[in-house]
Amino acid sequence: MSEDAAFEVVVAAKRRIAEDICELRLGGAGGEPLPAWEPGAHVDLELPSGLVRQYSLCSTVENDDHYRIAVRVLADGRGGSLEVDSLSEGHRLRIRAVRNTFPLSDAGRYLFIAGGIGITPILPMAVAAANRGVPTHLMYLVRNAGTLAFADELVREGLSVDIVLTDTDGIPDLTSAVRSSPGAQIYCCGPAPMMDALQAVAAAEGRSEDVYLERFESPQVAAGSGTTTIRCVRSGVSVCAESEETFLEALRGAGFDLPSSCEMGICGTCQITVVGGTPDHRDMLLTPEEREAGAFLPCVSRSNSDHLDVDL
Ligand code: FES
């Protein structure tokens, strides 16, 4: 969806649904209907400060007259969740795009695994899957009862669900979970270590192709990607970007005052121009034509060559 498709919404309701999770219902700013969406979709939400954050749409009723999002409020996060938590009814926000990078495919059986706030894309997907009349099971891991969201809805929807309180129950055996759903498509969203563990289990069980993951963390750092020299051709400065830092961080560390917002490759605020080398584009925004013309988002993208020349 392009910037032209952006639209305004208004906060219709806000409430706490767990110790650390707040829920917002968003309606059309002028009362107009909102664009349709499918389970697994998320919005790129522009907050009043200009920060852009991605949030999954988590209504269990597809295409009702509001969007529902749920946000884990992190005091030490990157600021987006605290800003969401400070909103109140009547606040206007802009949705830059509604996208679905985590669609639900047809299957004869489903296993869903959600960790913490990872329940948000999984909830509407599990409800939609169960409504297809095929065996569907949800494993939902939370730290403790205080961080459990949507418990009533899970009951109301009649889902087959195991709720695991990891503080007291420990980490469940993912191998048994995978083995107990033979032939199932497995959809998972949650903390990276949980998803990594699931991938390892699926590989060991020969089920890698059955697994679909939704990762919200910025993919900026690739293990073993090595150092890259960023040559800033206008200023004549060369910057060494280590594998554990983003190119944006490296450039800022060298004194370049570059703006940013989402730091996830979805808003374009940090865009610079590459004039040499082979970029490794990891954003979710730029078109092939824009990349061809040199556009580059250093908050997430890296380099396939040992140097990259940029117009700075
Ligand atoms: S800061 Fe949003 S794309 Fe880089």
Side-chain angles (χ1 to χ4, degrees):
M1 185 177 281
S2 70
E3 279 288 287
D4 297 341
F7 54 96
E8 264 207 332
V9 290
V10 63
V11 177
K14 179 190 154 203
R15 63 179 183 137
R16 279 273 164 162
I17 56 170
E19 261 167 25
D20 57 348
I21 299 176
C22 81
E23 176 194 87
L24 296 186
R25 284 178 62 78
L26 305 171
E32 65 282 5
L34 297 169
W37 62 282
E38 292 181 344
H42 68 264
V43 291
D44 295 343
L45 185 68
E46 187 177 313
L47 299 170
S49 66
L51 285 175
V52 178
R53 294 290 183 263
Q54 292 181 299
Y55 298 112
S56 294
L57 295 174
C58 62
S59 303
T60 49
V61 182
E62 255 175 73
N63 302 323
D64 70 3
D65 54 358
H66 286 80
Y67 287 165
R68 179 172 72 164
I69 61 171
V71 178
R72 184 169 177 221
V73 181
L74 291 168
D76 57 353
R78 292 180 301 139
S81 66
L82 288 176
E83 192 173 346
V84 168
D85 197 36
S86 73
L87 296 171
S88 45
E89 285 178 27
H91 261 118
R92 285 175 177 246
L93 304 165
R94 205 161 78 104
I95 289 180
R96 289 197 177 181
V98 182
R99 310 173 207 259
N100 196 352
T101 54
F102 195 39
L104 185 65
S105 300
D106 286 333
R109 180 173 195 147
Y110 296 97
L111 171 63
F112 295 93
I113 303 175
I117 196 64
I119 189 66
T120 52
I122 294 292
L123 178 61
M125 296 173 86
V127 170
N131 287 341
R132 293 178 183 181
V134 295
T136 298
H137 184 69
L138 167 63
M139 180 185 278
Y140 178 21
L141 288 70
V142 291
R143 280 198 317 284
N144 52 48
T147 59
L148 174 63
F150 306 120
D152 295 350
E153 270 176 68
L154 294 170
V155 172
R156 201 166 60 232
E157 296 289 346
L159 286 175
S160 163
V161 56
D162 282 330
I163 293 175
V164 180
L165 308 181
T166 57
D167 274 4
T168 50
D169 302 336
I171 302 295
D173 181 354
L174 292 176
T175 302
S176 323
V178 169
R179 285 184 182 166
S180 62
S181 295
Q185 282 190 359
I186 304 168
Y187 292 82
C188 177
C189 183
M194 186 185 90
M195 294 196 287
D196 293 343
L198 175 63
Q199 273 188 311
V201 164
E205 296 292 312
R207 301 275 305 276
S208 292
E209 291 187 356
D210 294 337
V211 173
Y212 302 84
L213 304 174
E214 175 83 317
R215 290 186 188 271
F216 277 140
E217 298 92 345
S218 168
Q220 67 245 30
V221 176
S225 55
T227 56
T228 303
T229 303
I230 307 171
R231 300 190 304 211
C232 304
V233 294
R234 252 188 300 136
S235 56
V237 173
S238 282
V239 179
C240 184
E242 302 292 343
S243 58
E244 67 278 4
E245 64 184 343
T246 66
F247 283 21
L248 178 65
E249 288 166 342
L251 288 165
R252 283 177 170 166
F256 291 96
D257 185 20
L258 298 176
S260 70
S261 176
C262 70
E263 300 196 1
M264 295 180 75
I266 59 172
C267 75
T269 306
C270 65
Q271 183 173 325
I272 59 175
T273 303
V274 165
V275 294
T278 311
D280 174 10
H281 293 285
R282 300 181 181 192
D283 64 89
M284 291 181 280
L285 182 74
L286 299 174
T287 63
E289 294 75 26
E290 288 169 330
R291 290 177 179 183
E292 190 60 32
F296 182 83
L297 300 180
C299 65
V300 291
S301 294
R302 304 191 70 86
S303 177
N304 285 325
S305 48
D306 58 8
H307 72 273
L308 203 65
D309 297 340
V310 300
D311 184 26
L312 283 174

